[in-house]
Amino acid sequence: MQFLLTAIILFCTLLATGCGGGSDSGQSSPPVVVPSPEPRQTPTSGPVFSPVSIEGDITISGHITFDLVPHNAFGGLEYTKAAPEAVRGVTVQLMDATDSVIRQSKTDNDGFYSIGAPPNTQARVVVLAEYYSDAGPQWDFAVVDNTEGDSLYLLADTLALTTRLNETRDIHAESGWNRVLGEFDDEAHRPAAPFAVLHAVYQVVSAIAAADDSFVLPACTLNWSYRNKASAGDVTEGYVGTSYYDVFSNRIYILGDAYNDTDEYDFSVIQHELGHFFEDGLSRSDSIGGSHGLSSKLDMRVAFSEGFSNALTALVSGEPNYMDSAGTGLFDSFRFNLEDNLYGNAGWYNENSIGKVLYDLADSHNESGDALSLGFSAIYDVMTADGFIHSDALGSIFLFSEIFREQQPTAVTNEFKSLLASEAIYGTDRFGLDESNDGGDVSVLPIYSSMVQGETIEACSSNRFSEANGLGVNRFIRLSITNPGSVQFRIERVNGGSEVSNPNARLYKNRRFIAQMISSVNDLEVGVALLSTGEHVLEIFDKYNADEDSSLRNTTCFNVSVI
């Protein structure tokens, strides 16, 4: 993993030999420790590897902790109740006076480390905000500052002379909150934040490792900065808009705006985005993204992805309440319980329904109507199954349910069917066959229409519920190609509102996107694709229902011909 040693802030800690000051004292922040005056870059081939110890070393050991700030009953943060929490599985390095790495180790699952050190040597202990494994299960996470050239966050003690006796050097990262003044001493100086982010990562990785001892995740960079604010713009200046996962770069951006919206302690938010990363790295996600809410009627792909990610955070953290703090008051925050669906619009198109069903499937608390406690592994086994990843159906609760039924005994699948029915989900196969819940719009059923080459059928696109990713915007057709080769498509408006339409289409086979028909011609779309024999999924939508302009509410129907 590449990281910059001296472009990174090294946070001074409160040791007997440390810098003084503290979050409870009302004093100013400790001075910054910089290892050398010039930036120096480590090799780009991977992490720095140095021996843990060599013959003749003394041992430096200690406990690495950070301030864990809990949430109150409303979802807000209570900095006055912060308590030390172990920093688990991170890299610990011993640097000499020239800032060279001379020994390297890791903290264990309790936050303890042990590292060798040559006697009579000026050295400091440096803790890197990275969490990786390159043997057995493999993962690679790092917390960087996206506003400082992706500099890796570090935590360090002061440079001190080693003796010929073993030493203890504990290091603690503070939240930066001054309990006396009720504010941050310096909102830019919050050493605990990167390690709080890694704590959320640790919980997710631990759950995956308990389900699978041989998984391999791609590298993921978590971008946190005190400058990251809820305004869209240049992410290198902190204008990230919201905390989110960028599927194109395997990066998660995390808000850090101290007095407005900061997410380093909102593990629900971080783990939700890690859920999307999990789908991308180990499973599949067909989600088209976009805005969403607990009562929204969504495209089934979006509803499943968001619902799964909500359930994941509750399962890995052991906290059924999703918490998202904002501001500094009790009532500025957001909280909901995965056990409940109090927001209405239950169904296969609702993320809260999906989240509740998946959480009840796995959680250990069984209320009325919930007789299953299968653990996260039951969800993991479905979402990493070849039949799920490579299915010809698009990602949805229906696909999940079909694979789940294949893996579990009848008694279990009958209980799961009851859970689904409690959230008004009735489809019987991966294509949602026999689904009767239309969400209040009869045009959304059947979930997949069927056609064979040479046929013409009607498909309607509606933005009745919301733009772009709402229920009914995209219509799905199971298309059977019997004459492979050059296949012609014609999509023509037949009726609808007075507004102009622009039919568009995307084509998939075995989940792979293989073609699209997106032109600027109104009311008509034609295209040609070179196709093989077999079943495809054709997605039809009206561009004006997917353009994020909610001023026009329109349902437009098209004749779809394939020859």
Side-chain angles (χ1 to χ4, degrees), residues 120-145:
N120 299 319
T121 301
Q122 291 284 337
R124 64 160 56 95
V125 176
V126 178
V127 184
L128 280 61
E130 66 176 24
Y131 176 48
Y132 72 89
S133 171
D134 54 9
Q138 296 178 38
W139 62 85
D140 189 347
F141 296 90
V143 185
V144 305
D145 186 343

mmCIF file with all atom_site columns, all heavy atoms in Angstrom, residues 120-145:
data_model
loop_
_atom_site.group_PDB
_atom_site.id
_atom_site.type_symbol
_atom_site.label_atom_id
_atom_site.label_alt_id
_atom_site.label_comp_id
_atom_site.label_asym_id
_atom_site.label_entity_id
_atom_site.label_seq_id
_atom_site.pdbx_PDB_ins_code
_atom_site.Cartn_x
_atom_site.Cartn_y
_atom_site.Cartn_z
_atom_site.occupancy
_atom_site.B_iso_or_equiv
_atom_site.pdbx_formal_charge
_atom_site.auth_seq_id
_atom_site.auth_comp_id
_atom_site.auth_asym_id
_atom_site.auth_atom_id
_atom_site.pdbx_PDB_model_num
ATOM 1   N N   . ASN A 1 120 ? 19.464  1.750   23.121 1.00 0.00 ? 120 ASN A N   1
ATOM 2   C CA  . ASN A 1 120 ? 20.208  3.010   22.989 1.00 0.00 ? 120 ASN A CA  1
ATOM 3   C C   . ASN A 1 120 ? 20.017  3.656   21.610 1.00 0.00 ? 120 ASN A C   1
ATOM 4   O O   . ASN A 1 120 ? 20.966  4.067   20.954 1.00 0.00 ? 120 ASN A O   1
ATOM 5   C CB  . ASN A 1 120 ? 21.705  2.792   23.256 1.00 0.00 ? 120 ASN A CB  1
ATOM 6   C CG  . ASN A 1 120 ? 21.954  2.289   24.661 1.00 0.00 ? 120 ASN A CG  1
ATOM 7   O OD1 . ASN A 1 120 ? 21.324  2.757   25.613 1.00 0.00 ? 120 ASN A OD1 1
ATOM 8   N ND2 . ASN A 1 120 ? 22.850  1.320   24.789 1.00 0.00 ? 120 ASN A ND2 1
ATOM 9   N N   . THR A 1 121 ? 18.771  3.705   21.201 1.00 0.00 ? 121 THR A N   1
ATOM 10  C CA  . THR A 1 121 ? 18.432  4.258   19.884 1.00 0.00 ? 121 THR A CA  1
ATOM 11  C C   . THR A 1 121 ? 17.264  5.229   20.022 1.00 0.00 ? 121 THR A C   1
ATOM 12  O O   . THR A 1 121 ? 16.282  4.929   20.707 1.00 0.00 ? 121 THR A O   1
ATOM 13  C CB  . THR A 1 121 ? 18.036  3.132   18.903 1.00 0.00 ? 121 THR A CB  1
ATOM 14  O OG1 . THR A 1 121 ? 19.120  2.219   18.776 1.00 0.00 ? 121 THR A OG1 1
ATOM 15  C CG2 . THR A 1 121 ? 17.680  3.694   17.535 1.00 0.00 ? 121 THR A CG2 1
ATOM 16  N N   . GLN A 1 122 ? 17.363  6.376   19.379 1.00 0.00 ? 122 GLN A N   1
ATOM 17  C CA  . GLN A 1 122 ? 16.236  7.295   19.325 1.00 0.00 ? 122 GLN A CA  1
ATOM 18  C C   . GLN A 1 122 ? 15.167  6.691   18.415 1.00 0.00 ? 122 GLN A C   1
ATOM 19  O O   . GLN A 1 122 ? 15.419  6.398   17.243 1.00 0.00 ? 122 GLN A O   1
ATOM 20  C CB  . GLN A 1 122 ? 16.682  8.657   18.770 1.00 0.00 ? 122 GLN A CB  1
ATOM 21  C CG  . GLN A 1 122 ? 17.601  9.438   19.687 1.00 0.00 ? 122 GLN A CG  1
ATOM 22  C CD  . GLN A 1 122 ? 16.837  10.076  20.847 1.00 0.00 ? 122 GLN A CD  1
ATOM 23  O OE1 . GLN A 1 122 ? 15.638  10.311  20.765 1.00 0.00 ? 122 GLN A OE1 1
ATOM 24  N NE2 . GLN A 1 122 ? 17.545  10.332  21.941 1.00 0.00 ? 122 GLN A NE2 1
ATOM 25  N N   . ALA A 1 123 ? 13.966  6.491   18.958 1.00 0.00 ? 123 ALA A N   1
ATOM 26  C CA  . ALA A 1 123 ? 12.919  5.831   18.178 1.00 0.00 ? 123 ALA A CA  1
ATOM 27  C C   . ALA A 1 123 ? 11.552  6.299   18.649 1.00 0.00 ? 123 ALA A C   1
ATOM 28  O O   . ALA A 1 123 ? 11.369  6.717   19.795 1.00 0.00 ? 123 ALA A O   1
ATOM 29  C CB  . ALA A 1 123 ? 13.034  4.314   18.307 1.00 0.00 ? 123 ALA A CB  1
ATOM 30  N N   . ARG A 1 124 ? 10.600  6.213   17.757 1.00 0.00 ? 124 ARG A N   1
ATOM 31  C CA  . ARG A 1 124 ? 9.211   6.488   18.099 1.00 0.00 ? 124 ARG A CA  1
ATOM 32  C C   . ARG A 1 124 ? 8.333   5.376   17.545 1.00 0.00 ? 124 ARG A C   1
ATOM 33  O O   . ARG A 1 124 ? 8.646   4.746   16.528 1.00 0.00 ? 124 ARG A O   1
ATOM 34  C CB  . ARG A 1 124 ? 8.737   7.842   17.550 1.00 0.00 ? 124 ARG A CB  1
ATOM 35  C CG  . ARG A 1 124 ? 8.706   7.951   16.041 1.00 0.00 ? 124 ARG A CG  1
ATOM 36  C CD  . ARG A 1 124 ? 7.795   9.094   15.577 1.00 0.00 ? 124 ARG A CD  1
ATOM 37  N NE  . ARG A 1 124 ? 8.137   10.363  16.137 1.00 0.00 ? 124 ARG A NE  1
ATOM 38  C CZ  . ARG A 1 124 ? 8.923   11.274  15.556 1.00 0.00 ? 124 ARG A CZ  1
ATOM 39  N NH1 . ARG A 1 124 ? 9.464   10.995  14.383 1.00 0.00 ? 124 ARG A NH1 1
ATOM 40  N NH2 . ARG A 1 124 ? 9.166   12.422  16.135 1.00 0.00 ? 124 ARG A NH2 1
ATOM 41  N N   . VAL A 1 125 ? 7.203   5.125   18.221 1.00 0.00 ? 125 VAL A N   1
ATOM 42  C CA  . VAL A 1 125 ? 6.200   4.166   17.754 1.00 0.00 ? 125 VAL A CA  1
ATOM 43  C C   . VAL A 1 125 ? 5.191   4.921   16.896 1.00 0.00 ? 125 VAL A C   1
ATOM 44  O O   . VAL A 1 125 ? 4.672   5.968   17.302 1.00 0.00 ? 125 VAL A O   1
ATOM 45  C CB  . VAL A 1 125 ? 5.488   3.483   18.940 1.00 0.00 ? 125 VAL A CB  1
ATOM 46  C CG1 . VAL A 1 125 ? 4.379   2.570   18.439 1.00 0.00 ? 125 VAL A CG1 1
ATOM 47  C CG2 . VAL A 1 125 ? 6.493   2.697   19.770 1.00 0.00 ? 125 VAL A CG2 1
ATOM 48  N N   . VAL A 1 126 ? 4.940   4.388   15.719 1.00 0.00 ? 126 VAL A N   1
ATOM 49  C CA  . VAL A 1 126 ? 4.010   5.012   14.773 1.00 0.00 ? 126 VAL A CA  1
ATOM 50  C C   . VAL A 1 126 ? 2.922   4.002   14.425 1.00 0.00 ? 126 VAL A C   1
ATOM 51  O O   . VAL A 1 126 ? 3.213   2.855   14.079 1.00 0.00 ? 126 VAL A O   1
ATOM 52  C CB  . VAL A 1 126 ? 4.746   5.464   13.494 1.00 0.00 ? 126 VAL A CB  1
ATOM 53  C CG1 . VAL A 1 126 ? 3.767   6.073   12.497 1.00 0.00 ? 126 VAL A CG1 1
ATOM 54  C CG2 . VAL A 1 126 ? 5.841   6.458   13.840 1.00 0.00 ? 126 VAL A CG2 1
ATOM 55  N N   . VAL A 1 127 ? 1.675   4.431   14.536 1.00 0.00 ? 127 VAL A N   1
ATOM 56  C CA  . VAL A 1 127 ? 0.525   3.577   14.234 1.00 0.00 ? 127 VAL A CA  1
ATOM 57  C C   . VAL A 1 127 ? -0.119  4.066   12.946 1.00 0.00 ? 127 VAL A C   1
ATOM 58  O O   . VAL A 1 127 ? -0.509  5.228   12.838 1.00 0.00 ? 127 VAL A O   1
ATOM 59  C CB  . VAL A 1 127 ? -0.501  3.615   15.385 1.00 0.00 ? 127 VAL A CB  1
ATOM 60  C CG1 . VAL A 1 127 ? -1.641  2.638   15.109 1.00 0.00 ? 127 VAL A CG1 1
ATOM 61  C CG2 . VAL A 1 127 ? 0.170   3.305   16.713 1.00 0.00 ? 127 VAL A CG2 1
ATOM 62  N N   . LEU A 1 128 ? -0.200  3.202   11.963 1.00 0.00 ? 128 LEU A N   1
ATOM 63  C CA  . LEU A 1 128 ? -0.748  3.564   10.659 1.00 0.00 ? 128 LEU A CA  1
ATOM 64  C C   . LEU A 1 128 ? -2.242  3.268   10.608 1.00 0.00 ? 128 LEU A C   1
ATOM 65  O O   . LEU A 1 128 ? -2.681  2.224   11.090 1.00 0.00 ? 128 LEU A O   1
ATOM 66  C CB  . LEU A 1 128 ? -0.052  2.789   9.541  1.00 0.00 ? 128 LEU A CB  1
ATOM 67  C CG  . LEU A 1 128 ? 1.318   3.287   9.047  1.00 0.00 ? 128 LEU A CG  1
ATOM 68  C CD1 . LEU A 1 128 ? 2.346   3.271   10.166 1.00 0.00 ? 128 LEU A CD1 1
ATOM 69  C CD2 . LEU A 1 128 ? 1.800   2.453   7.871  1.00 0.00 ? 128 LEU A CD2 1
ATOM 70  N N   . ALA A 1 129 ? -2.993  4.138   9.988  1.00 0.00 ? 129 ALA A N   1
ATOM 71  C CA  . ALA A 1 129 ? -4.431  3.931   9.824  1.00 0.00 ? 129 ALA A CA  1
ATOM 72  C C   . ALA A 1 129 ? -4.683  3.034   8.617  1.00 0.00 ? 129 ALA A C   1
ATOM 73  O O   . ALA A 1 129 ? -5.329  3.415   7.636  1.00 0.00 ? 129 ALA A O   1
ATOM 74  C CB  . ALA A 1 129 ? -5.154  5.261   9.678  1.00 0.00 ? 129 ALA A CB  1
ATOM 75  N N   . GLU A 1 130 ? -4.129  1.830   8.704  1.00 0.00 ? 130 GLU A N   1
ATOM 76  C CA  . GLU A 1 130 ? -4.339  0.826   7.662  1.00 0.00 ? 130 GLU A CA  1
ATOM 77  C C   . GLU A 1 130 ? -4.616  -0.519  8.328  1.00 0.00 ? 130 GLU A C   1
ATOM 78  O O   . GLU A 1 130 ? -4.117  -0.813  9.418  1.00 0.00 ? 130 GLU A O   1
ATOM 79  C CB  . GLU A 1 130 ? -3.118  0.715   6.742  1.00 0.00 ? 130 GLU A CB  1
ATOM 80  C CG  . GLU A 1 130 ? -1.866  0.181   7.413  1.00 0.00 ? 130 GLU A CG  1
ATOM 81  C CD  . GLU A 1 130 ? -0.708  -0.018  6.452  1.00 0.00 ? 130 GLU A CD  1
ATOM 82  O OE1 . GLU A 1 130 ? -0.691  0.639   5.403  1.00 0.00 ? 130 GLU A OE1 1
ATOM 83  O OE2 . GLU A 1 130 ? 0.183   -0.840  6.763  1.00 0.00 ? 130 GLU A OE2 1
ATOM 84  N N   . TYR A 1 131 ? -5.408  -1.306  7.650  1.00 0.00 ? 131 TYR A N   1
ATOM 85  C CA  . TYR A 1 131 ? -5.847  -2.589  8.188  1.00 0.00 ? 131 TYR A CA  1
ATOM 86  C C   . TYR A 1 131 ? -5.847  -3.562  7.028  1.00 0.00 ? 131 TYR A C   1
ATOM 87  O O   . TYR A 1 131 ? -6.680  -3.444  6.118  1.00 0.00 ? 131 TYR A O   1
ATOM 88  C CB  . TYR A 1 131 ? -7.235  -2.414  8.802  1.00 0.00 ? 131 TYR A CB  1
ATOM 89  C CG  . TYR A 1 131 ? -7.895  -3.662  9.319  1.00 0.00 ? 131 TYR A CG  1
ATOM 90  C CD1 . TYR A 1 131 ? -7.227  -4.565  10.126 1.00 0.00 ? 131 TYR A CD1 1
ATOM 91  C CD2 . TYR A 1 131 ? -9.235  -3.927  9.010  1.00 0.00 ? 131 TYR A CD2 1
ATOM 92  C CE1 . TYR A 1 131 ? -7.852  -5.702  10.612 1.00 0.00 ? 131 TYR A CE1 1
ATOM 93  C CE2 . TYR A 1 131 ? -9.876  -5.057  9.500  1.00 0.00 ? 131 TYR A CE2 1
ATOM 94  C CZ  . TYR A 1 131 ? -9.183  -5.938  10.293 1.00 0.00 ? 131 TYR A CZ  1
ATOM 95  O OH  . TYR A 1 131 ? -9.825  -7.066  10.771 1.00 0.00 ? 131 TYR A OH  1
ATOM 96  N N   . TYR A 1 132 ? -4.885  -4.477  7.027  1.00 0.00 ? 132 TYR A N   1
ATOM 97  C CA  . TYR A 1 132 ? -4.776  -5.373  5.884  1.00 0.00 ? 132 TYR A CA  1
ATOM 98  C C   . TYR A 1 132 ? -4.399  -6.780  6.318  1.00 0.00 ? 132 TYR A C   1
ATOM 99  O O   . TYR A 1 132 ? -3.868  -7.003  7.409  1.00 0.00 ? 132 TYR A O   1
ATOM 100 C CB  . TYR A 1 132 ? -3.760  -4.845  4.866  1.00 0.00 ? 132 TYR A CB  1
ATOM 101 C CG  . TYR A 1 132 ? -2.321  -4.959  5.304  1.00 0.00 ? 132 TYR A CG  1
ATOM 102 C CD1 . TYR A 1 132 ? -1.573  -6.099  5.028  1.00 0.00 ? 132 TYR A CD1 1
ATOM 103 C CD2 . TYR A 1 132 ? -1.699  -3.923  6.002  1.00 0.00 ? 132 TYR A CD2 1
ATOM 104 C CE1 . TYR A 1 132 ? -0.259  -6.216  5.438  1.00 0.00 ? 132 TYR A CE1 1
ATOM 105 C CE2 . TYR A 1 132 ? -0.383  -4.024  6.414  1.00 0.00 ? 132 TYR A CE2 1
ATOM 106 C CZ  . TYR A 1 132 ? 0.329   -5.181  6.128  1.00 0.00 ? 132 TYR A CZ  1
ATOM 107 O OH  . TYR A 1 132 ? 1.636   -5.300  6.538  1.00 0.00 ? 132 TYR A OH  1
ATOM 108 N N   . SER A 1 133 ? -4.672  -7.705  5.448  1.00 0.00 ? 133 SER A N   1
ATOM 109 C CA  . SER A 1 133 ? -4.242  -9.097  5.614  1.00 0.00 ? 133 SER A CA  1
ATOM 110 C C   . SER A 1 133 ? -3.885  -9.624  4.235  1.00 0.00 ? 133 SER A C   1
ATOM 111 O O   . SER A 1 133 ? -4.659  -9.458  3.279  1.00 0.00 ? 133 SER A O   1
ATOM 112 C CB  . SER A 1 133 ? -5.365  -9.949  6.224  1.00 0.00 ? 133 SER A CB  1
ATOM 113 O OG  . SER A 1 133 ? -5.027  -11.330 6.189  1.00 0.00 ? 133 SER A OG  1
ATOM 114 N N   . ASP A 1 134 ? -2.722  -10.250 4.123  1.00 0.00 ? 134 ASP A N   1
ATOM 115 C CA  . ASP A 1 134 ? -2.299  -10.788 2.834  1.00 0.00 ? 134 ASP A CA  1
ATOM 116 C C   . ASP A 1 134 ? -2.100  -12.297 2.882  1.00 0.00 ? 134 ASP A C   1
ATOM 117 O O   . ASP A 1 134 ? -1.489  -12.877 1.996  1.00 0.00 ? 134 ASP A O   1
ATOM 118 C CB  . ASP A 1 134 ? -1.026  -10.101 2.347  1.00 0.00 ? 134 ASP A CB  1
ATOM 119 C CG  . ASP A 1 134 ? 0.105   -10.148 3.368  1.00 0.00 ? 134 ASP A CG  1
ATOM 120 O OD1 . ASP A 1 134 ? -0.046  -10.852 4.379  1.00 0.00 ? 134 ASP A OD1 1
ATOM 121 O OD2 . ASP A 1 134 ? 1.133   -9.471  3.161  1.00 0.00 ? 134 ASP A OD2 1
ATOM 122 N N   . ALA A 1 135 ? -2.624  -12.937 3.925  1.00 0.00 ? 135 ALA A N   1
ATOM 123 C CA  . ALA A 1 135 ? -2.523  -14.394 4.056  1.00 0.00 ? 135 ALA A CA  1
ATOM 124 C C   . ALA A 1 135 ? -3.867  -14.936 4.522  1.00 0.00 ? 135 ALA A C   1
ATOM 125 O O   . ALA A 1 135 ? -4.510  -14.363 5.395  1.00 0.00 ? 135 ALA A O   1
ATOM 126 C CB  . ALA A 1 135 ? -1.432  -14.774 5.051  1.00 0.00 ? 135 ALA A CB  1
ATOM 127 N N   . GLY A 1 136 ? -4.300  -16.064 3.935  1.00 0.00 ? 136 GLY A N   1
ATOM 128 C CA  . GLY A 1 136 ? -5.634  -16.574 4.253  1.00 0.00 ? 136 GLY A CA  1
ATOM 129 C C   . GLY A 1 136 ? -6.660  -15.614 3.675  1.00 0.00 ? 136 GLY A C   1
ATOM 130 O O   . GLY A 1 136 ? -6.566  -15.211 2.513  1.00 0.00 ? 136 GLY A O   1
ATOM 131 N N   . PRO A 1 137 ? -7.649  -15.212 4.474  1.00 0.00 ? 137 PRO A N   1
ATOM 132 C CA  . PRO A 1 137 ? -8.531  -14.143 3.997  1.00 0.00 ? 137 PRO A CA  1
ATOM 133 C C   . PRO A 1 137 ? -7.701  -12.890 3.702  1.00 0.00 ? 137 PRO A C   1
ATOM 134 O O   . PRO A 1 137 ? -6.758  -12.584 4.433  1.00 0.00 ? 137 PRO A O   1
ATOM 135 C CB  . PRO A 1 137 ? -9.485  -13.913 5.177  1.00 0.00 ? 137 PRO A CB  1
ATOM 136 C CG  . PRO A 1 137 ? -9.382  -15.129 6.024  1.00 0.00 ? 137 PRO A CG  1
ATOM 137 C CD  . PRO A 1 137 ? -7.991  -15.652 5.834  1.00 0.00 ? 137 PRO A CD  1
ATOM 138 N N   . GLN A 1 138 ? -8.064  -12.185 2.645  1.00 0.00 ? 138 GLN A N   1
ATOM 139 C CA  . GLN A 1 138 ? -7.261  -11.031 2.248  1.00 0.00 ? 138 GLN A CA  1
ATOM 140 C C   . GLN A 1 138 ? -8.129  -9.779  2.142  1.00 0.00 ? 138 GLN A C   1
ATOM 141 O O   . GLN A 1 138 ? -9.211  -9.812  1.554  1.00 0.00 ? 138 GLN A O   1
ATOM 142 C CB  . GLN A 1 138 ? -6.571  -11.294 0.911  1.00 0.00 ? 138 GLN A CB  1
ATOM 143 C CG  . GLN A 1 138 ? -5.561  -12.434 0.986  1.00 0.00 ? 138 GLN A CG  1
ATOM 144 C CD  . GLN A 1 138 ? -4.912  -12.724 -0.347 1.00 0.00 ? 138 GLN A CD  1
ATOM 145 O OE1 . GLN A 1 138 ? -4.620  -11.813 -1.126 1.00 0.00 ? 138 GLN A OE1 1
ATOM 146 N NE2 . GLN A 1 138 ? -4.668  -13.996 -0.624 1.00 0.00 ? 138 GLN A NE2 1
ATOM 147 N N   . TRP A 1 139 ? -7.638  -8.698  2.741  1.00 0.00 ? 139 TRP A N   1
ATOM 148 C CA  . TRP A 1 139 ? -8.305  -7.403  2.633  1.00 0.00 ? 139 TRP A CA  1
ATOM 149 C C   . TRP A 1 139 ? -7.251  -6.318  2.773  1.00 0.00 ? 139 TRP A C   1
ATOM 150 O O   . TRP A 1 139 ? -6.131  -6.572  3.221  1.00 0.00 ? 139 TRP A O   1
ATOM 151 C CB  . TRP A 1 139 ? -9.388  -7.270  3.693  1.00 0.00 ? 139 TRP A CB  1
ATOM 152 C CG  . TRP A 1 139 ? -8.881  -7.324  5.113  1.00 0.00 ? 139 TRP A CG  1
ATOM 153 C CD1 . TRP A 1 139 ? -8.385  -6.277  5.851  1.00 0.00 ? 139 TRP A CD1 1
ATOM 154 C CD2 . TRP A 1 139 ? -8.819  -8.473  5.973  1.00 0.00 ? 139 TRP A CD2 1
ATOM 155 N NE1 . TRP A 1 139 ? -8.025  -6.704  7.107  1.00 0.00 ? 139 TRP A NE1 1
ATOM 156 C CE2 . TRP A 1 139 ? -8.281  -8.051  7.217  1.00 0.00 ? 139 TRP A CE2 1
ATOM 157 C CE3 . TRP A 1 139 ? -9.171  -9.819  5.818  1.00 0.00 ? 139 TRP A CE3 1
ATOM 158 C CZ2 . TRP A 1 139 ? -8.088  -8.923  8.281  1.00 0.00 ? 139 TRP A CZ2 1
ATOM 159 C CZ3 . TRP A 1 139 ? -8.970  -10.680 6.876  1.00 0.00 ? 139 TRP A CZ3 1
ATOM 160 C CH2 . TRP A 1 139 ? -8.442  -10.243 8.095  1.00 0.00 ? 139 TRP A CH2 1
ATOM 161 N N   . ASP A 1 140 ? -7.607  -5.108  2.393  1.00 0.00 ? 140 ASP A N   1
ATOM 162 C CA  . ASP A 1 140 ? -6.640  -4.020  2.398  1.00 0.00 ? 140 ASP A CA  1
ATOM 163 C C   . ASP A 1 140 ? -7.404  -2.696  2.487  1.00 0.00 ? 140 ASP A C   1
ATOM 164 O O   . ASP A 1 140 ? -7.968  -2.226  1.498  1.00 0.00 ? 140 ASP A O   1
ATOM 165 C CB  . ASP A 1 140 ? -5.803  -4.072  1.117  1.00 0.00 ? 140 ASP A CB  1
ATOM 166 C CG  . ASP A 1 140 ? -4.619  -3.112  1.147  1.00 0.00 ? 140 ASP A CG  1
ATOM 167 O OD1 . ASP A 1 140 ? -4.576  -2.242  2.032  1.00 0.00 ? 140 ASP A OD1 1
ATOM 168 O OD2 . ASP A 1 140 ? -3.742  -3.238  0.272  1.00 0.00 ? 140 ASP A OD2 1
ATOM 169 N N   . PHE A 1 141 ? -7.437  -2.107  3.686  1.00 0.00 ? 141 PHE A N   1
ATOM 170 C CA  . PHE A 1 141 ? -8.149  -0.855  3.919  1.00 0.00 ? 141 PHE A CA  1
ATOM 171 C C   . PHE A 1 141 ? -7.176  0.193   4.440  1.00 0.00 ? 141 PHE A C   1
ATOM 172 O O   . PHE A 1 141 ? -6.284  -0.118  5.238  1.00 0.00 ? 141 PHE A O   1
ATOM 173 C CB  . PHE A 1 141 ? -9.271  -1.041  4.942  1.00 0.00 ? 141 PHE A CB  1
ATOM 174 C CG  . PHE A 1 141 ? -10.368 -1.964  4.491  1.00 0.00 ? 141 PHE A CG  1
ATOM 175 C CD1 . PHE A 1 141 ? -10.312 -3.329  4.756  1.00 0.00 ? 141 PHE A CD1 1
ATOM 176 C CD2 . PHE A 1 141 ? -11.459 -1.465  3.791  1.00 0.00 ? 141 PHE A CD2 1
ATOM 177 C CE1 . PHE A 1 141 ? -11.317 -4.182  4.343  1.00 0.00 ? 141 PHE A CE1 1
ATOM 178 C CE2 . PHE A 1 141 ? -12.471 -2.310  3.368  1.00 0.00 ? 141 PHE A CE2 1
ATOM 179 C CZ  . PHE A 1 141 ? -12.406 -3.671  3.644  1.00 0.00 ? 141 PHE A CZ  1
ATOM 180 N N   . ALA A 1 142 ? -7.351  1.416   4.014  1.00 0.00 ? 142 ALA A N   1
ATOM 181 C CA  . ALA A 1 142 ? -6.544  2.523   4.510  1.00 0.00 ? 142 ALA A CA  1
ATOM 182 C C   . ALA A 1 142 ? -7.421  3.761   4.622  1.00 0.00 ? 142 ALA A C   1
ATOM 183 O O   . ALA A 1 142 ? -8.302  3.986   3.785  1.00 0.00 ? 142 ALA A O   1
ATOM 184 C CB  . ALA A 1 142 ? -5.373  2.791   3.575  1.00 0.00 ? 142 ALA A CB  1
ATOM 185 N N   . VAL A 1 143 ? -7.167  4.566   5.662  1.00 0.00 ? 143 VAL A N   1
ATOM 186 C CA  . VAL A 1 143 ? -7.889  5.818   5.841  1.00 0.00 ? 143 VAL A CA  1
ATOM 187 C C   . VAL A 1 143 ? -6.952  6.961   5.473  1.00 0.00 ? 143 VAL A C   1
ATOM 188 O O   . VAL A 1 143 ? -5.880  7.110   6.082  1.00 0.00 ? 143 VAL A O   1
ATOM 189 C CB  . VAL A 1 143 ? -8.391  5.992   7.287  1.00 0.00 ? 143 VAL A CB  1
ATOM 190 C CG1 . VAL A 1 143 ? -9.244  7.263   7.400  1.00 0.00 ? 143 VAL A CG1 1
ATOM 191 C CG2 . VAL A 1 143 ? -9.212  4.776   7.723  1.00 0.00 ? 143 VAL A CG2 1
ATOM 192 N N   . VAL A 1 144 ? -7.345  7.748   4.478  1.00 0.00 ? 144 VAL A N   1
ATOM 193 C CA  . VAL A 1 144 ? -6.497  8.821   3.979  1.00 0.00 ? 144 VAL A CA  1
ATOM 194 C C   . VAL A 1 144 ? -7.252  10.141  4.008  1.00 0.00 ? 144 VAL A C   1
ATOM 195 O O   . VAL A 1 144 ? -8.477  10.180  4.149  1.00 0.00 ? 144 VAL A O   1
ATOM 196 C CB  . VAL A 1 144 ? -6.009  8.528   2.541  1.00 0.00 ? 144 VAL A CB  1
ATOM 197 C CG1 . VAL A 1 144 ? -5.307  7.176   2.464  1.00 0.00 ? 144 VAL A CG1 1
ATOM 198 C CG2 . VAL A 1 144 ? -7.164  8.593   1.539  1.00 0.00 ? 144 VAL A CG2 1
ATOM 199 N N   . ASP A 1 145 ? -6.503  11.217  3.853  1.00 0.00 ? 145 ASP A N   1
ATOM 200 C CA  . ASP A 1 145 ? -7.079  12.550  3.763  1.00 0.00 ? 145 ASP A CA  1
ATOM 201 C C   . ASP A 1 145 ? -7.166  12.946  2.296  1.00 0.00 ? 145 ASP A C   1
ATOM 202 O O   . ASP A 1 145 ? -6.156  13.250  1.658  1.00 0.00 ? 145 ASP A O   1
ATOM 203 C CB  . ASP A 1 145 ? -6.211  13.551  4.534  1.00 0.00 ? 145 ASP A CB  1
ATOM 204 C CG  . ASP A 1 145 ? -6.830  14.944  4.608  1.00 0.00 ? 145 ASP A CG  1
ATOM 205 O OD1 . ASP A 1 145 ? -7.751  15.227  3.818  1.00 0.00 ? 145 ASP A OD1 1
ATOM 206 O OD2 . ASP A 1 145 ? -6.391  15.744  5.446  1.00 0.00 ? 145 ASP A OD2 1
#
